[in-house]
Amino acid sequence: QVQLVESGGGSVQAGGSLRLSCVASGNTGRGYCAGWFRQVPGKEREGVVRISGDGTTTYADSVKGRFTISRDSAKNTLYLQMDALKPEDTARYYCAAAGFKSCRYAPRPSDFAHWGQGTQVTVSS
């Protein structure tokens, strides 16, 4: 069983930055596809960025050039650096892990088997 715990959310003004962290414990299976997703009430969960075991990343167009995903395998931690935040980035952010090394096999949120509880990010204008 894999447990994921996010932290680092908060409130920030537009243009500001936040760094989210996601610590994995349990049978983490290092080097697997992982990602960050976000959701606002009344809308479907959307993918923000995915990272495969080989380091290949896929970003949503809405965050390209502003968000950066990284992982520290030694610490079993996934990060999301968010810069130049916009009010439309306001959402609850979740980290997730899939049972595949390549995210090619996990194009949808339902393909991710393990989820954290989420952390709230609020960006004010």
Side-chain angles (χ1 to χ4, degrees), residues 6-23:
E6 304 97 333
S7 62
S11 297
V12 64
Q13 289 192 328
S17 298
L18 285 172
R19 188 175 83 153
L20 306 184
S21 299
C22 173
V23 179

PDB file of all heavy atoms in Angstrom, residues 6-23:
ATOM      1  N   GLU A   6       0.415  15.368   0.831  1.00  0.00           N
ATOM      2  CA  GLU A   6       0.800  16.654   0.259  1.00  0.00           C
ATOM      3  C   GLU A   6       0.927  17.721   1.341  1.00  0.00           C
ATOM      4  O   GLU A   6       0.274  17.640   2.385  1.00  0.00           O
ATOM      5  CB  GLU A   6      -0.235  17.138  -0.779  1.00  0.00           C
ATOM      6  CG  GLU A   6      -0.511  16.196  -1.912  1.00  0.00           C
ATOM      7  CD  GLU A   6      -1.741  15.356  -1.682  1.00  0.00           C
ATOM      8  OE1 GLU A   6      -2.076  15.109  -0.500  1.00  0.00           O
ATOM      9  OE2 GLU A   6      -2.385  14.946  -2.664  1.00  0.00           O
ATOM     10  N   SER A   7       1.719  18.720   1.044  1.00  0.00           N
ATOM     11  CA  SER A   7       1.835  19.894   1.898  1.00  0.00           C
ATOM     12  C   SER A   7       2.312  21.060   1.043  1.00  0.00           C
ATOM     13  O   SER A   7       2.719  20.869  -0.108  1.00  0.00           O
ATOM     14  CB  SER A   7       2.812  19.643   3.048  1.00  0.00           C
ATOM     15  OG  SER A   7       4.111  19.387   2.553  1.00  0.00           O
ATOM     16  N   GLY A   8       2.254  22.254   1.617  1.00  0.00           N
ATOM     17  CA  GLY A   8       2.783  23.419   0.929  1.00  0.00           C
ATOM     18  C   GLY A   8       1.751  24.348   0.339  1.00  0.00           C
ATOM     19  O   GLY A   8       2.088  25.414  -0.185  1.00  0.00           O
ATOM     20  N   GLY A   9       0.482  23.955   0.405  1.00  0.00           N
ATOM     21  CA  GLY A   9      -0.552  24.842  -0.112  1.00  0.00           C
ATOM     22  C   GLY A   9      -0.724  26.065   0.767  1.00  0.00           C
ATOM     23  O   GLY A   9      -0.148  26.167   1.846  1.00  0.00           O
ATOM     24  N   GLY A  10      -1.508  26.997   0.277  1.00  0.00           N
ATOM     25  CA  GLY A  10      -1.757  28.210   1.044  1.00  0.00           C
ATOM     26  C   GLY A  10      -2.381  29.278   0.180  1.00  0.00           C
ATOM     27  O   GLY A  10      -2.853  29.008  -0.930  1.00  0.00           O
ATOM     28  N   SER A  11      -2.397  30.484   0.709  1.00  0.00           N
ATOM     29  CA  SER A  11      -2.956  31.622  -0.007  1.00  0.00           C
ATOM     30  C   SER A  11      -1.837  32.544  -0.447  1.00  0.00           C
ATOM     31  O   SER A  11      -0.922  32.829   0.319  1.00  0.00           O
ATOM     32  CB  SER A  11      -3.925  32.382   0.898  1.00  0.00           C
ATOM     33  OG  SER A  11      -5.019  31.569   1.254  1.00  0.00           O
ATOM     34  N   VAL A  12      -1.936  33.025  -1.670  1.00  0.00           N
ATOM     35  CA  VAL A  12      -0.893  33.881  -2.224  1.00  0.00           C
ATOM     36  C   VAL A  12      -1.539  34.854  -3.205  1.00  0.00           C
ATOM     37  O   VAL A  12      -2.604  34.573  -3.766  1.00  0.00           O
ATOM     38  CB  VAL A  12       0.193  33.013  -2.922  1.00  0.00           C
ATOM     39  CG1 VAL A  12      -0.382  32.274  -4.116  1.00  0.00           C
ATOM     40  CG2 VAL A  12       1.391  33.840  -3.313  1.00  0.00           C
ATOM     41  N   GLN A  13      -0.905  35.969  -3.398  1.00  0.00           N
ATOM     42  CA  GLN A  13      -1.403  36.930  -4.377  1.00  0.00           C
ATOM     43  C   GLN A  13      -0.949  36.530  -5.781  1.00  0.00           C
ATOM     44  O   GLN A  13       0.057  35.830  -5.944  1.00  0.00           O
ATOM     45  CB  GLN A  13      -0.922  38.332  -4.038  1.00  0.00           C
ATOM     46  CG  GLN A  13      -1.589  38.916  -2.800  1.00  0.00           C
ATOM     47  CD  GLN A  13      -1.323  40.403  -2.648  1.00  0.00           C
ATOM     48  OE1 GLN A  13      -0.269  40.888  -3.032  1.00  0.00           O
ATOM     49  NE2 GLN A  13      -2.298  41.127  -2.095  1.00  0.00           N
ATOM     50  N   ALA A  14      -1.685  36.996  -6.752  1.00  0.00           N
ATOM     51  CA  ALA A  14      -1.326  36.736  -8.139  1.00  0.00           C
ATOM     52  C   ALA A  14       0.102  37.193  -8.405  1.00  0.00           C
ATOM     53  O   ALA A  14       0.525  38.248  -7.943  1.00  0.00           O
ATOM     54  CB  ALA A  14      -2.298  37.455  -9.072  1.00  0.00           C
ATOM     55  N   GLY A  15       0.823  36.352  -9.144  1.00  0.00           N
ATOM     56  CA  GLY A  15       2.221  36.617  -9.423  1.00  0.00           C
ATOM     57  C   GLY A  15       3.173  35.960  -8.434  1.00  0.00           C
ATOM     58  O   GLY A  15       4.391  35.932  -8.675  1.00  0.00           O
ATOM     59  N   GLY A  16       2.628  35.478  -7.343  1.00  0.00           N
ATOM     60  CA  GLY A  16       3.449  34.849  -6.321  1.00  0.00           C
ATOM     61  C   GLY A  16       3.789  33.402  -6.641  1.00  0.00           C
ATOM     62  O   GLY A  16       3.449  32.883  -7.710  1.00  0.00           O
ATOM     63  N   SER A  17       4.465  32.765  -5.692  1.00  0.00           N
ATOM     64  CA  SER A  17       4.941  31.392  -5.877  1.00  0.00           C
ATOM     65  C   SER A  17       4.606  30.536  -4.670  1.00  0.00           C
ATOM     66  O   SER A  17       4.483  31.038  -3.546  1.00  0.00           O
ATOM     67  CB  SER A  17       6.460  31.378  -6.078  1.00  0.00           C
ATOM     68  OG  SER A  17       6.849  32.091  -7.231  1.00  0.00           O
ATOM     69  N   LEU A  18       4.465  29.256  -4.931  1.00  0.00           N
ATOM     70  CA  LEU A  18       4.315  28.251  -3.889  1.00  0.00           C
ATOM     71  C   LEU A  18       5.034  26.995  -4.340  1.00  0.00           C
ATOM     72  O   LEU A  18       5.144  26.741  -5.549  1.00  0.00           O
ATOM     73  CB  LEU A  18       2.843  27.916  -3.638  1.00  0.00           C
ATOM     74  CG  LEU A  18       1.984  28.912  -2.875  1.00  0.00           C
ATOM     75  CD1 LEU A  18       0.525  28.471  -2.901  1.00  0.00           C
ATOM     76  CD2 LEU A  18       2.452  29.054  -1.432  1.00  0.00           C
ATOM     77  N   ARG A  19       5.496  26.202  -3.380  1.00  0.00           N
ATOM     78  CA  ARG A  19       6.053  24.899  -3.714  1.00  0.00           C
ATOM     79  C   ARG A  19       5.304  23.835  -2.927  1.00  0.00           C
ATOM     80  O   ARG A  19       5.281  23.852  -1.699  1.00  0.00           O
ATOM     81  CB  ARG A  19       7.546  24.812  -3.403  1.00  0.00           C
ATOM     82  CG  ARG A  19       8.148  23.510  -3.943  1.00  0.00           C
ATOM     83  CD  ARG A  19       9.649  23.428  -3.759  1.00  0.00           C
ATOM     84  NE  ARG A  19      10.021  22.977  -2.433  1.00  0.00           N
ATOM     85  CZ  ARG A  19      11.162  22.333  -2.159  1.00  0.00           C
ATOM     86  NH1 ARG A  19      12.018  22.066  -3.133  1.00  0.00           N
ATOM     87  NH2 ARG A  19      11.442  21.986  -0.930  1.00  0.00           N
ATOM     88  N   LEU A  20       4.697  22.931  -3.660  1.00  0.00           N
ATOM     89  CA  LEU A  20       3.999  21.819  -3.051  1.00  0.00           C
ATOM     90  C   LEU A  20       4.936  20.621  -2.940  1.00  0.00           C
ATOM     91  O   LEU A  20       5.793  20.417  -3.795  1.00  0.00           O
ATOM     92  CB  LEU A  20       2.780  21.425  -3.887  1.00  0.00           C
ATOM     93  CG  LEU A  20       1.784  22.524  -4.218  1.00  0.00           C
ATOM     94  CD1 LEU A  20       0.594  21.944  -4.974  1.00  0.00           C
ATOM     95  CD2 LEU A  20       1.319  23.255  -2.977  1.00  0.00           C
ATOM     96  N   SER A  21       4.740  19.864  -1.877  1.00  0.00           N
ATOM     97  CA  SER A  21       5.512  18.642  -1.678  1.00  0.00           C
ATOM     98  C   SER A  21       4.554  17.475  -1.501  1.00  0.00           C
ATOM     99  O   SER A  21       3.445  17.643  -0.988  1.00  0.00           O
ATOM    100  CB  SER A  21       6.399  18.749  -0.440  1.00  0.00           C
ATOM    101  OG  SER A  21       7.329  19.803  -0.561  1.00  0.00           O
ATOM    102  N   CYS A  22       5.006  16.311  -1.897  1.00  0.00           N
ATOM    103  CA  CYS A  22       4.217  15.089  -1.739  1.00  0.00           C
ATOM    104  C   CYS A  22       5.172  13.985  -1.304  1.00  0.00           C
ATOM    105  O   CYS A  22       6.040  13.569  -2.077  1.00  0.00           O
ATOM    106  CB  CYS A  22       3.530  14.719  -3.038  1.00  0.00           C
ATOM    107  SG  CYS A  22       2.677  13.129  -3.016  1.00  0.00           S
ATOM    108  N   VAL A  23       5.008  13.552  -0.059  1.00  0.00           N
ATOM    109  CA  VAL A  23       5.868  12.501   0.480  1.00  0.00           C
ATOM    110  C   VAL A  23       5.159  11.163   0.351  1.00  0.00           C
ATOM    111  O   VAL A  23       4.009  11.022   0.772  1.00  0.00           O
ATOM    112  CB  VAL A  23       6.226  12.778   1.943  1.00  0.00           C
ATOM    113  CG1 VAL A  23       7.095  11.661   2.493  1.00  0.00           C
ATOM    114  CG2 VAL A  23       6.937  14.119   2.068  1.00  0.00           C
TER     115      VAL A  23
END
